[in-house]
Amino acid sequence: MDNINDFLSDRFGFDTATAGLYITSVYICSALVTPFFGFIIDKFGRRVTMMFWSSIVFMGTHAYFAFLSDAPAGQPNHWVILGLLGIGGFYSVYAAIFWPCVPLVVEEKVVGSAYGLITALQNLMMCSIPLIMGAIHDATISYRKGYFWTEITLIGIVSLGTLVTAWMFFVDKKTGRRLERVGTSGAKTAKSRASSFIHV
């Protein structure tokens, strides 16, 4: 999201003000849909399944951006809104599902540390990925304003995340399906849940 205003202006013909307006659709979508996903997870479980399919959608969204037709300035390609809504949907699943999984796989006494570590890794990624994307953009700027190969790179990154999510599904299946079932894992203690998950 760091350079999406330039992305919409350079590739898809939007002026800066309209690009900013379109960007809000990501957050509006997320705000409206996140409670719905939270309700679905509370009622039906399937956390890993939902994360897997949201990753597939996110990958498809970046492919959509990569191959969507460019547009000259003043003639914006409004179909870009579908990709922005895809990002908003992914953010919704991430917020509603990923964070609540943490207490289900670590001991209660280290939940705060787990959240801190995850946040630190997330911030490390958020400060390093833009540098990588910027380098790719500058090196390939002659083709589709430099944004095609940045999207392909993001597809690769999301693909790795999707593989990790698939691995989580099999680990969860071996350790009582506490991420897939409704609510928590019942009678098991937090310590035994964490131990079984981490050592698989």
Side-chain angles (χ1 to χ4, degrees):
M1 296 297 292
D2 294 326
N3 65 343
I4 197 166
N5 199 301
D6 292 338
F7 176 63
L8 295 181
S9 300
D10 294 346
R11 268 202 64 189
F12 299 115
F14 290 89
D15 60 69
T16 302
T18 306
L21 183 64
Y22 267 59
I23 291 169
T24 63
S25 65
V26 174
Y27 302 103
I28 292 172
C29 175
S30 182
L32 294 176
V33 178
T34 299
F36 170 75
F37 280 122
F39 172 79
I40 292 297
I41 293 305
D42 286 343
K43 190 167 183 63
F44 300 105
R46 305 294 181 181
R47 295 172 182 84
V48 181
T49 300
M50 292 290 290
M51 284 192 287
F52 176 83
W53 286 110
S54 72
S55 296
I56 296 294
V57 169
F58 199 39
M59 198 185 326
T61 297
H62 284 297
Y64 178 78
F65 281 137
F67 294 100
L68 187 64
S69 298
D70 293 358
Q75 301 178 36
N77 187 341
H78 296 285
W79 288 106
V80 75
I81 189 68
L82 296 180
L84 296 174
L85 292 177
I87 293 175
F90 172 79
Y91 280 176
S92 300
V93 174
Y94 180 79
I97 299 174
F98 177 78
W99 292 109
C101 286
V102 175
L104 300 179
V105 296
V106 301
E107 296 181 41
E108 185 177 359
K109 65 182 180 181
V110 295
V111 167
S113 298
Y115 278 124
L117 178 60
I118 293 169
T119 303
L121 293 173
Q122 181 185 44
N123 287 330
L124 178 62
M125 178 195 71
M126 291 177 69
C127 73
S128 59
I129 293 297
L131 296 176
I132 297 171
M133 294 298 103
I136 294 172
H137 172 271
D138 292 347
T140 62
I141 199 166
S142 60
Y143 184 67
R144 292 200 170 187
K145 308 294 179 63
Y147 291 106
F148 177 81
W149 288 107
T150 59
E151 290 297 327
I152 297 301
T153 302
L154 289 170
I155 290 171
I157 294 171
V158 177
S159 298
L160 291 176
T162 305
L163 290 175
V164 171
T165 305
W167 169 77
M168 285 175 56
F169 180 84
F170 291 105
V171 172
D172 188 57
K173 186 176 181 180
K174 291 181 179 179
T175 56
R177 295 177 62 85
R178 58 195 171 279
L179 295 179
E180 283 286 275
R181 70 175 64 182
V182 178
T184 63
S185 55
K188 279 190 174 184
T189 65
K191 183 174 182 179
S192 63
R193 293 199 305 266
S195 297
S196 61
F197 193 88
I198 292 170
H199 287 98
V200 168

